[in-house]
Amino acid sequence: MFTSKEEFIMEFSKRIISTYGRCVSQSHVTEQFMVLESMVRDYASVNWATTKADIIKYNKKQMYYFSLEFLMGRMLVNNLMNLGIYDVAKIGLSELGINIHELEELETDAGLGNGGLGRLAACFMDSLASLSYPGNGNTIRYEYGLFKQKIEDGYQIEVPDQWLKLGNGWEVRKPKHTVDVKFWGTVQYNSETQKYEHKGAECVSAVPYDVPIVGMDTTVTNTLRLWHAQPSDNIPSNKDFRQYNQEVRDICQTLYPDDSTISGKTLRLKQQYFLVAAGLQAIIKYHLSLYPSLDNFHEKTVIQLNDTHPVLCIPELMRLLIDEHDYEWDQAWFIVSHTFAYTNHTVLVEALERWPITLMQALLPRVYMIIDEIHHRFHDEVIKRTGDKEKADRLGILKDGYCDMAHLAVVGSFSVNGVAYLHTQILKNDVMRELSDYFPGKFNNKTNGITHRRWLLYANPQLSDLIKQQIGDSWIEQPLLLSRLLDYSLDPKLQEQFIAVKKERKQRLADYILKNNHIQVDIDSIFNIQVKRFHAYKRQLLSVLGIIYQYYEIKNNPDYQMYPQTFIFGGKAAPGYYFAKTVIKLINSVAKVVNEDEDVSKYMKVIFIENYGVTLAELIIPAADVSLQISTAGKEASGTGNMKFMMNGAITLGTMDGANVEIVQQVAKENCEIFGLTTAEIEDLKPNYRVWDYYHNDPKIKRVIDSLVDGSWDNNREQFRVIFEELMNRNDEYFVLADLDAYLKALNRIEKRYQDQAEWAKACLINIAKSGYFSSDRTIKEYVDDIWHIEKI
Ligand SMILES: *Cc1c(COP(=O)(O)O)cnc(C)c1O
């Protein structure tokens, strides 16, 4: 392709002319961006072809990651860097009078995910390729990704995310791999062939769009396959075509912006089956192009199910094997139950997926029959083995008119994993205790990770350069070697340089805030940052109540002194999640009062950054002094934001929840600021928890709570009523008031610690040094060794 800047310039100029019919100097920046993108994709294509050929040549087993979400973010810089051609492109463009950074800013985020679960899938893709493993993604090509968030008058407004407006230069449409997916209709038994036949179904065609995933310093290039729905040639003759057309379009229209509860019913289930049916057909076709039968399918294929969303894979592969490839039940079940592994992402009861049986029966009649059979066979087996019918009912897949997708996942997979030590313990010992006991050895832990390439090397080149200057660059290939920084955490020169880098990154964020929020923030203040989806269990409310508390401390005490702090929030709330949206409004209302109050704003500013997403995370996280990870203990499965902050040298102000527990284990308690009730303490407190006691026993807390409904933050006293109700009249399900005092004390300790800059820098350096464990390279190696058993290409 191009190895020198001269070749780059020639190729770039040639493409501008051949694509747009004008020369570089007259071309538009979006044209320049799209040509650059196409050049990088074509550059990657060379290795893409070799990778595919090598997998065939060496009969490699492959892993497929099925996920309804991939939160990829931008890909240009990542791909240029991973391919090692960033500098050539940058210099070449600059000689043509083009600033590469301007082109970078034109790329829209691929926001095909909600939050942590989708971003995990994206980090895994990067690690798989960079470690040279054959691992591919399968998802839906949503026309609109997660909505764009605007803040108007303090309220969240949702705007469609038109991420495909300029087209998607990374994808390649593969019409010849189109497959049909069947919905509705009825099932009939054909006694001649002794097979079930699906009659009167509505077919939808699934067309794959493939995106190359390039690793760093490797020729391995994997595939992220995005499935797009289009009208099929086989539509029932009695169907109105316009209506059919609309229904087909709806399938890939939008990502469900619902972070952790199930909704949307029929369409959501349609999406899930669409992905599963299309993805599996393609994998089977591929397998049969290489091997004589599907007998060895599970030896050449392993499929990781990211949460329960793609769990219909289990009955669908049974259906394909039995109805279309003539397998008997037992042999089909052997193959299926050796193919799938399931990752559990939540223990929140309202998030565990359960589908109404009536809906499944109508939409997916044959698949439902198979689920029913899986259920009955399992139910019988439990009774046979334990003699306990009630136990069999509890463990079963179908109950009370619903299909429990988590149970289907556990029964049909050979591995079930949680995503952090504590979360897996809760799964095994509490939420899924009986299933875990029934299947000894099936449950295991894989603590999440993040790709240090995107989240440290590319997002924070200033810090990366400092680390390289101190300990060299071997940590890029082996992130655990970041621990070499430990030898220098006491080095005053490194400490000072770290503080300077942090300041530079705080300045960049401050510039962004000035431009977008029109508020000047002090870069010498402590940047306390809480960015993540808005959810009651994540307790953004706890930080707001903390701010309100401090506000009254300052107002009521003329001599009050505190070290200046800036509280920065970001995150989206699901459009139908009224409570979470009200918390966003409260933050913005409190921010307005605080920032405009002369007494208070010299100590404290509150900022809400709108439209949090991957690209903004790359700007915000490197600027943090303090990482707020304050979920109710036992509720956050892992968290990955916590890891990104740590890797960028922020101190975790957090509860003993999710992967915070392992962060503390890595860096030792004195290099974090841990507070609040533990999981066990919450369980103990739960039966006797009386939120009004906290209100009555402390006038300052009473003042804070009363302010929610006395017009302090909004002329409309009803504005924040729902928050008051959740706390005081629904007994504060997430123990916000129980932890408020401990949280305030922890903030105070942070304030003191920060003023000793050398000690502070030392703790930050220790955090960076110990963050290598949280590279997704480590996570992927554990999946490979314990679950996937795939080999490097
Ligand atoms: C990492 C990340 C998340 C996950 O954050 P948590 O704090 O773990 O919930 C969500 N959204 C984006 C854009 C991210 O980059």
Side-chain angles (χ1 to χ4, degrees):
M1 278 289 288
F2 49 90
T3 50
S4 65
K5 90 180 172 206
E6 287 77 18
E7 284 169 347
F8 175 86
I9 291 172
M10 236 163 56
E11 179 71 18
F12 185 83
S13 313
K14 203 173 84 191
R15 285 193 185 214
I16 289 272
I17 294 167
S18 63
T19 317
Y20 298 106
R22 45 180 163 180
C23 60
V24 174
S25 62
Q26 287 176 335
S27 62
H28 191 262
V29 278
T30 57
E31 295 170 345
Q32 295 161 3
F33 164 71
M34 287 190 279
V35 161
L36 178 61
E37 199 179 37
S38 76
M39 278 172 74
V40 179
R41 188 199 62 211
D42 293 350
Y43 191 100
S45 292
V46 179
N47 289 335
W48 209 3
T50 340
T51 303
K52 289 172 190 167
D54 284 348
I55 289 170
I56 294 171
K57 188 162 150 205
Y58 301 109
N59 292 326
K60 291 286 187 192
K61 181 179 185 182
Q62 287 185 267
M63 191 282 293
Y64 296 88
Y65 202 81
F66 274 57
S67 177
L68 271 286
E69 301 186 21
F70 278 85
L71 194 51
M72 302 298 284
R74 286 179 178 160
M75 290 187 264
L76 180 62
V77 173
N78 188 75
N79 289 351
L80 281 166
M81 292 277 193
N82 274 4
L83 288 166
I85 53 174
Y86 185 85
D87 287 334
V88 172
K90 183 178 167 185
I91 297 166
L93 286 168
S94 118
E95 292 199 2
L96 291 167
I98 300 166
N99 178 351
I100 194 168
H101 299 310
E102 259 178 57
L103 303 193
E104 290 166 16
E105 292 303 314
L106 294 175
E107 184 173 6
T108 38
D109 275 35
L112 308 184
N114 274 296
L117 176 152
R119 184 55 229 173
L120 183 75
C123 283
F124 280 4
M125 286 295 108
D126 185 64
S127 285
L128 279 159
S130 296
L131 295 171
S132 302
Y133 286 112
N136 312 288
N138 262 273
T139 192
I140 288 176
R141 184 176 180 273
Y142 302 102
E143 196 85 32
Y144 302 94
L146 184 59
F147 66 85
K148 205 162 117 188
Q149 179 193 55
K150 293 225 154 114
I151 300 296
E152 283 178 19
D153 191 25
Y155 294 100
Q156 167 177 296
I157 308 292
E158 298 103 29
V159 181
D161 163 43
Q162 303 190 39
W163 73 291
L164 291 171
K165 224 172 177 163
L166 284 184
N168 173 8
W170 301 115
E171 67 191 12
V172 185
R173 190 169 190 266
K174 296 280 174 70
K176 86 171 171 93
H177 295 303
T178 301
V179 295
D180 265 8
V181 176
K182 291 178 180 171
F183 297 102
W184 310 109
T186 53
V187 177
Q188 286 167 16
Y189 185 67
N190 182 333
S191 51
E192 235 163 75
T193 61
Q194 302 195 344
K195 287 204 170 290
Y196 287 96
E197 291 168 358
H198 195 166
K199 297 274 171 137
E202 273 179 48
C203 287
V204 174
S205 285
V207 191
Y209 287 66
D210 286 354
V211 176
I213 302 290
V214 303
M216 171 187 248
D217 285 339
T218 172
T219 57
V220 169
T221 304
N222 290 325
T223 302
L224 172 60
R225 179 159 275 190
L226 312 174
W227 289 98
H228 169 75
Q230 69 177 34
S232 161
D233 294 333
N234 317 309
I235 69 161
S237 48
N238 59 350
K239 183 91 186 173
D240 173 60
F241 186 73
R242 273 172 50 190
Q243 192 196 338
Y244 167 77
N245 216 10
Q246 191 54 47
E247 285 169 8
V248 171
R249 275 164 174 268
D250 284 344
I251 295 176
C252 296
Q253 196 79 313
T254 54
L255 166 83
Y256 277 91
D258 204 323
D259 200 21
S260 65
T261 59
I262 91 154
S263 71
K265 295 279 180 273
T266 307
L267 195 50
R268 170 80 156 210
L269 189 61
K270 250 188 173 174
Q271 286 190 329
Q272 296 185 351
Y273 184 67
F274 174 75
L275 168 64
V276 155
L280 283 177
Q281 279 186 74
I283 296 171
I284 284 183
K285 266 194 195 162
Y286 174 79
H287 184 95
L288 289 176
S289 73
L290 300 180
Y291 305 99
S293 81
L294 295 170
D295 292 359
N296 63 342
F297 185 76
H298 57 288
E299 291 164 12
K300 297 296 170 191
T301 312
V302 55
I303 296 176
Q304 191 70 36
L305 305 171
N306 197 26
D307 212 314
T308 50
H309 318 143
V311 160
L312 288 171
C313 264
I314 290 167
E316 174 64 6
L317 183 57
M318 285 301 283
R319 188 191 70 76
L320 287 163
L321 290 170
I322 293 169
D323 292 357
E324 303 196 1
H325 297 276
D326 300 327
Y327 280 83
E328 299 292 338
W329 182 277
D330 287 338
Q331 204 187 350
W333 184 248
F334 181 85
I335 294 170
V336 167
S337 57
H338 287 80
T339 297
F340 297 105
Y342 155 63
T343 304
N344 175 281
H345 282 272
T346 179
V347 292
L348 297 184
V349 192
E350 68 270 29
L352 292 173
E353 261 192 316
R354 290 161 81 238
W355 289 105
I357 287 175
T358 46
L359 172 58
M360 274 193 156
Q361 259 174 329
L363 185 67
L364 310 168
R366 179 62 181 139
V367 169
Y368 177 72
M369 281 176 69
I370 290 171
I371 294 174
D372 188 69
E373 174 117 19
I374 295 173
H375 166 77
H376 280 105
R377 284 174 181 248
F378 177 61
H379 193 265
D380 290 350
E381 181 200 290
V382 176
I383 294 177
K384 214 163 98 193
R385 261 173 60 181
T386 68
D388 187 342
K389 170 157 184 317
E390 274 159 26
K391 188 188 183 82
D393 291 346
R394 285 195 302 276
L395 295 191
I397 295 157
L398 303 175
K399 50 187 160 264
D400 308 328
Y402 285 89
C403 174
D404 184 324
M405 300 305 276
H407 284 207
L408 177 57
V410 173
V411 172
S413 302
F414 67 86
S415 160
V416 176
N417 74 282
V419 289
Y421 172 79
L422 177 69
H423 167 62
T424 303
Q425 288 299 311
I426 294 172
L427 267 189
K428 281 167 67 165
N429 301 330
D430 182 10
V431 179
M432 294 197 177
R433 187 175 52 79
E434 280 192 297
L435 275 170
S436 164
D437 290 346
Y438 188 84
F439 295 113
K442 197 183 266 200
F443 282 64
N444 63 92
N445 177 245
K446 297 288 167 281
T447 297
N448 283 166
I450 55 167
T451 165
H452 62 286
R453 287 166 291 275
R454 179 179 289 260
W455 293 108
L456 174 54
L457 196 56
Y458 308 151
N460 199 344
Q462 297 83 359
L463 181 57
S464 301
D465 286 347
L466 179 62
I467 298 169
K468 284 184 214 163
Q469 172 207 307
Q470 193 63 234
I471 61 168
D473 58 8
S474 51
W475 57 274
I476 297 172
E477 225 185 279
Q478 297 176 67
L480 283 175
L481 294 182
L482 280 169
S483 64
R484 289 184 176 161
L485 270 181
L486 284 178
D487 296 343
Y488 307 96
S489 66
L490 290 167
D491 177 352
K493 183 160 153 263
L494 183 63
Q495 292 174 352
E496 266 172 42
Q497 289 172 320
F498 168 76
I499 290 165
V501 162
K502 186 59 85 180
K503 268 220 174 111
E504 189 184 339
R505 295 303 310 226
K506 286 166 83 173
Q507 186 62 56
R508 288 167 70 107
L509 181 57
D511 293 345
Y512 181 89
I513 290 169
L514 184 60
K515 187 156 169 253
N516 292 275
N517 297 53
H518 313 292
I519 294 170
Q520 191 108 42
V521 297
D522 172 9
I523 63 162
D524 290 321
S525 67
I526 306 173
F527 277 23
N528 293 316
I529 306 192
Q530 189 174 22
V531 285
K532 48 182 75 251
R533 285 299 291 261
F534 270 76
H535 211 288
Y537 82 82
K538 290 178 182 278
R539 297 201 296 192
Q540 281 92 355
L541 183 56
L542 179 55
S543 358
V544 196
L545 296 186
I547 291 166
I548 296 176
Y549 188 99
Q550 300 206 54
Y551 170 84
Y552 289 122
E553 289 288 274
I554 299 168
K555 288 305 274 184
N556 296 334
N557 182 353
D559 304 322
Y560 193 83
Q561 294 263 325
M562 87 179 224
Y563 191 88
Q565 311 202 9
T566 304
F567 288 89
I568 297 169
F569 295 90
K572 297 172 184 175
Y577 194 172
Y578 181 64
F579 173 82
K581 292 173 97 169
T582 308
V583 174
I584 291 178
K585 171 68 177 168
L586 177 62
I587 291 173
N588 286 308
S589 300
V590 171
K592 195 160 156 39
V593 174
V594 166
N595 298 340
E596 288 174 4
D597 187 307
E598 275 180 26
D599 306 331
V600 180
S601 65
K602 61 183 180 224
Y603 291 124
M604 199 164 69
K605 289 234 169 66
V606 181
I607 305 293
F608 189 98
I609 297 179
E610 70 179 10
N611 202 35
Y612 181 61
V614 173
T615 294
L616 268 174
E618 290 164 9
L619 173 71
I620 295 169
I621 292 171
D625 295 309
V626 179
S627 157
L628 263 68
Q629 309 297 339
I630 60 178
S631 51
T632 312
K635 298 292 183 189
E636 185 74 271
S638 163
T640 48
N642 47 3
M643 303 168 186
K644 300 167 196 163
F645 280 99
M646 174 198 191
M647 199 173 268
N648 281 278
I651 302 298
T652 304
L653 168 54
T655 48
M656 279 302 236
D657 197 16
N660 296 355
V661 174
E662 287 153 271
I663 290 178
V664 174
Q665 196 184 336
Q666 287 292 322
V667 302
K669 250 191 169 130
E670 62 266 27
N671 295 303
C672 292
E673 198 54 76
I674 298 300
F675 74 94
L677 298 168
T678 62
T679 313
E681 286 165 349
I682 294 229
E683 287 307 312
D684 285 348
L685 175 60
K686 208 174 257 172
N688 311 309
Y689 185 51
R690 293 214 317 247
V691 73
W692 284 101
D693 292 350
Y694 293 81
Y695 178 92
H696 290 304
N697 291 342
D698 185 343
K700 288 181 173 175
I701 292 197
K702 178 175 184 302
R703 179 74 196 89
V704 170
I705 299 300
D706 288 344
S707 81
L708 296 172
V709 286
D710 69 2
S712 293
W713 312 111
D714 195 292
N715 291 333
N716 174 6
R717 294 172 174 217
E718 296 308 303
Q719 186 68 257
F720 306 115
R721 174 67 62 185
V722 66
I723 298 176
F724 182 89
E725 290 295 318
E726 279 297 325
L727 286 176
M728 306 312 298
N729 293 333
R730 304 195 60 193
N731 206 32
D732 185 15
E733 186 181 349
Y734 294 100
F735 299 89
V736 176
L737 289 199
D739 272 343
L740 180 55
D741 184 57
Y743 169 70
L744 287 163
K745 290 193 169 115
L747 258 186
N748 252 307
R749 295 196 294 272
I750 289 270
E751 194 188 320
K752 298 227 162 51
R753 286 173 67 176
Y754 189 80
Q755 292 173 64
D756 184 343
Q757 285 277 285
E759 276 295 309
W760 185 267
K762 175 188 137 201
C764 296
L765 288 167
I766 291 174
N767 270 271
I768 300 166
K770 289 294 200 165
S771 67
Y773 177 78
F774 297 105
S775 166
S776 44
D777 289 7
R778 186 268 311 151
T779 314
I780 287 298
K781 283 179 196 148
E782 291 181 9
Y783 275 94
V784 166
D785 290 345
D786 301 344
I787 304 176
W788 299 335
H789 306 295
I790 51 178
E791 293 169 350
K792 294 196 180 202
I793 302 169

